[in-house]
Amino acid sequence: MYDITEWKHVFKLDPNKEITDDQLEQLCESGTDAILIGGSDGVTEDDVLRLMSKVRRFLVPCILEVSTIDAIVPGFDLYFIPTVLNSNDPDWIVGLHKEAMKEYGELMSPEEIVVEGYCILNGDCKAAALTNADAGLDLEDVKAYARMAEHLFRLPIFYLEYSGRLGDAEILKETKAVLNDTTLFYGGGIQDSETAVKMAEHADVIVVGNAIYENFGQALKTVKAVKE
Ligand code: 1GP
């Protein structure tokens, strides 16, 4: 029903940050392929529920990116489950996933679950600290993780995460070159149309997060920029 291989653009909303109803409407009706709800800290069930019910008024697919077992809310179109491939902490690779399955495994429909193989490359971002990610990777390491995601684990998504700063377009390009079936997501530091186009040249899907809260007008323009 949802074909992520057709997507180009996603907005990531942080349930811990403020957004007006008017802004939310503009994002949902912007033509973006999906609204992803997720954050690295302070994510509560109440905030997730509140944001989901507002996004639900629009037709755009609404997805929860699960980052804590305490805030899994039913009613989303899809659930994206990150596994941080370059984490040094097994909890973030398979441990929390096992706990989630223990608690909710019976209730979950497999067709609603999409696993994202994360590779975090900005060592200064919150996600890197939280997951104890080994962000000091060179290009060959990143390509190896990409191949692992596609050929060993057959993950639907490989996510290059630079959260908070613009990444290396060359790494993105080389990573894309080793992927065929796995969809390449890129997120980090996209602030305007220009940076969106630059990263969308190589990524299958770009994710725009912080810019929504820092420069709303420019964030909104990233949709048209990559879809035209
Ligand atoms: C964060 O990849 C997303 O998980 C988007 O990054 O917030 O820097 O846009 P930014």
Side-chain angles (χ1 to χ4, degrees):
M1 185 165 141
Y2 302 100
D3 187 1
I4 58 168
T5 65
E6 296 287 316
W7 293 0
K8 292 231 47 99
H9 183 286
V10 167
F11 280 123
K12 192 185 280 193
L13 293 182
D14 188 336
N16 196 22
K17 289 185 182 163
E18 293 298 322
I19 186 163
T20 67
D21 287 353
D22 179 51
Q23 286 177 330
L24 195 66
E25 178 172 354
Q26 291 185 62
L27 295 179
C28 292
E29 305 222 305
S30 64
T32 187
D33 294 298
I35 301 287
L36 194 54
I37 294 181
S40 301
D41 60 356
V43 177
T44 67
E45 198 174 351
D46 282 354
D47 288 343
V48 170
L49 193 57
R50 196 171 311 123
L51 195 50
M52 180 191 75
S53 48
K54 286 184 178 179
V55 175
R56 271 266 159 264
R57 291 187 277 140
F58 304 94
L59 289 171
V60 66
C62 183
I63 299 159
L64 180 64
E65 185 174 59
V66 178
S67 57
T68 166
I69 301 175
D70 300 331
I72 302 180
V73 171
F76 281 87
D77 293 309
L78 292 173
Y79 293 83
F80 279 12
I81 314 284
T83 173
V84 182
L85 301 174
N86 63 328
S87 171
N88 285 309
D89 180 349
D91 271 356
W92 290 98
I93 309 170
V94 289
L96 293 165
H97 314 70
K98 189 207 80 183
E99 291 308 317
M101 284 301 157
K102 233 170 148 178
E103 205 162 325
Y104 297 108
E106 260 180 277
L107 303 171
M108 282 182 160
S109 314
E111 63 275 10
E112 291 174 357
I113 298 174
V114 180
V115 180
E116 310 166 284
Y118 260 76
C119 184
I120 302 178
L121 293 178
N122 174 7
D124 296 326
C125 73
K126 275 186 209 157
L130 183 70
T131 64
N132 190 14
D134 175 15
L137 304 179
D138 65 20
L139 175 60
E140 292 309 313
D141 294 322
V142 177
K143 280 160 61 180
Y145 276 122
R147 288 192 166 109
M148 241 174 79
E150 178 164 317
H151 302 303
L152 298 189
F153 297 128
R154 313 232 184 262
L155 299 180
I157 294 172
F158 184 65
Y159 192 135
L160 276 189
E161 173 69 291
Y162 280 87
S163 181
R165 83 167 157 85
L166 198 65
D168 183 333
E170 197 54 33
I171 289 191
L172 196 55
K173 180 181 173 188
E174 298 284 332
T175 304
K176 175 64 192 162
V178 304
L179 293 173
N180 290 307
D181 299 330
T182 294
T183 300
L184 178 60
F185 275 53
Y186 168 82
I190 294 176
Q191 287 288 338
D192 51 26
S193 301
E194 195 187 320
T195 44
V197 168
K198 184 176 176 195
M199 302 325 259
E201 193 183 330
H202 307 299
D204 295 313
V205 180
I206 58 155
V207 181
V208 177
N210 278 310
I212 299 166
Y213 305 96
E214 288 164 3
N215 194 339
F216 184 79
Q218 293 295 332
L220 197 58
K221 286 185 183 158
T222 59
V223 184
K224 279 214 173 74
V226 301
K227 291 217 159 217
E228 270 167 10

